[in-house]
Amino acid sequence: MTDPTAPILPSLSSALADMVARTKSAIVSVHSHRSRASGFIWKPGLIVTADEPLADEGDVAIRFPDGSERRASIAGRDHTTDIALLRVDSGNSVPMALSPIVPDLGSLAVVVAAEQGAPTAALGMVSLVGNRWRSMRGGEIDARIELDVRLRRRHEGGLVLSASGDVIGMAVQGVRRILVIPSATIERVAARLETHGRIARGYLGVGLQPVELDDGLGAMVMSVDRAGPAAAAGIRQGDIIVGWNNEKLRDVRSLLRSLGPDSIGSVVDVAIRRAGEPVQVRLTIGERPEA
């Protein structure tokens, strides 16, 4: 039976230390063209890290907790969810099992990351928990989780553990806050990157510029890809998109966020103003070409 008079902090400290000890062998440092981040072994030979700090070109090096360093290649990356997948010879390192659990608001969380290969740990609190949402780049995130914790840029890509030791996601820096990319999102996106190397996105084939109208907002078509879906639907340069699927256009950003993987092949009704006159077209969303 637990002694009710026993000090709480030593027990909590020991429990947290044990959690970190069980996790740190799967944590690595990612070095990319002067950028530094953390990552973790997701599967044998595959490392998940944050996409934002990863350079667009150049070599990638992985430093393991034992001090060894190996070259890695980019297996795939998704800017919209901030997830990148690297291939590397990870030796006998044991992958981390991710948990789909969403933590409770106000619960404790531990971020286990790496500094020059050496494991680091930071204790924080879950400051916000919300539903599924889309990032500013249109990526679908399975839950909104924010942490009240100090996170250095090179610790992005570190694992986030719940108070019970479950791996609930990956820590990244958001706008003025620390975000957790949930385990469910990582599993879904990383599996796609492992197979296809990229996440397909919807494509209109137009360049858009927001404009203010007398009765709301619109998106002016500044350029048209002649081989794109918009051109095939009859959309022209100078047209102003004012409606999308029978709803008034809120802003250009919300339109672009709707172009997720599930949008490819869907048919949408687009309301346009052309030289002041209303025009209605039907457009089949295509797949964005690889850069």
Side-chain angles (χ1 to χ4, degrees), residues 25-31 39-49 54 59-66 68-76 84-95 194:
S25 61
I27 301 295
V28 300
S29 287
V30 180
H31 297 188
F40 62 92
I41 300 171
W42 175 59
K43 287 183 178 181
L46 292 172
I47 287 173
V48 169
T49 186
L54 197 62
D59 294 333
V60 179
I62 304 298
R63 184 169 293 178
F64 292 85
D66 63 4
S68 63
E69 188 170 302
R70 301 182 181 94
R71 294 295 173 185
S73 61
I74 299 176
L85 189 66
L86 308 175
R87 292 190 188 277
V88 66
D89 176 11
S90 56
N92 296 322
S93 300
V94 179
E194 180 185 9

Side-chain angles (χ1 to χ4, degrees), residues 102-158:
V102 175
D104 293 329
L105 179 66
S107 60
L108 295 178
V110 178
V111 178
V112 184
E115 186 90 25
Q116 297 293 322
T120 67
L123 178 64
M125 178 181 288
V126 177
S127 58
L128 187 148
V129 177
N131 297 325
R132 181 186 297 260
W133 61 289
R134 286 192 181 276
S135 71
M136 294 182 65
R137 294 178 174 176
E140 189 172 354
I141 314 295
D142 289 76
R144 181 94 187 190
I145 306 171
E146 296 182 9
L147 295 181
D148 182 8
V149 67
R150 182 183 179 187
L151 185 75
R152 295 180 181 178
R153 176 67 69 176
R154 65 188 61 186
H155 295 166
E156 283 194 273

Side-chain angles (χ1 to χ4, degrees), residues 14 17 25 67 81 89 116 121 144 160 185 188 196 198 205 216 241 248 251:
S14 296
S25 61
T81 56
D89 176 11
Q116 297 293 322
R144 181 94 187 190
V160 182
T185 305
R188 171 169 50 83
H196 302 283
R198 62 191 291 265
I241 298 176
K248 288 189 66 174
D251 52 47

Side-chain angles (χ1 to χ4, degrees), residues 1-52:
M1 185 177 228
T2 303
D3 182 359
T5 64
I8 296 176
L9 289 181
S11 298
L12 174 62
S13 177
S14 296
L16 294 175
D18 288 343
M19 285 168 46
V20 173
R22 293 194 301 268
T23 307
K24 64 183 183 180
S25 61
I27 301 295
V28 300
S29 287
V30 180
H31 297 188
S32 167
H33 191 55
R34 299 182 182 177
S35 296
R36 299 291 184 269
S38 298
F40 62 92
I41 300 171
W42 175 59
K43 287 183 178 181
L46 292 172
I47 287 173
V48 169
T49 186
D51 176 74
E52 184 71 25

Side-chain angles (χ1 to χ4, degrees), residues 144-191:
R144 181 94 187 190
I145 306 171
E146 296 182 9
L147 295 181
D148 182 8
V149 67
R150 182 183 179 187
L151 185 75
R152 295 180 181 178
R153 176 67 69 176
R154 65 188 61 186
H155 295 166
E156 283 194 273
L159 284 176
V160 182
L161 309 179
S162 70
S164 59
D166 295 311
V167 179
I168 60 175
M170 176 178 72
V172 299
Q173 288 189 343
V175 180
R176 297 186 298 276
R177 57 185 60 85
I178 304 303
L179 302 175
V180 178
I181 306 300
S183 293
T185 305
I186 295 172
E187 294 281 20
R188 171 169 50 83
V189 173

Side-chain angles (χ1 to χ4, degrees), residues 254-278:
S254 64
L255 188 156
L256 297 178
R257 285 180 181 176
S258 69
L259 301 176
D262 295 336
S263 70
I264 299 170
S266 61
V267 179
V268 294
D269 293 311
V270 185
I272 290 172
R273 288 184 189 170
R274 179 176 294 161
E277 297 297 324

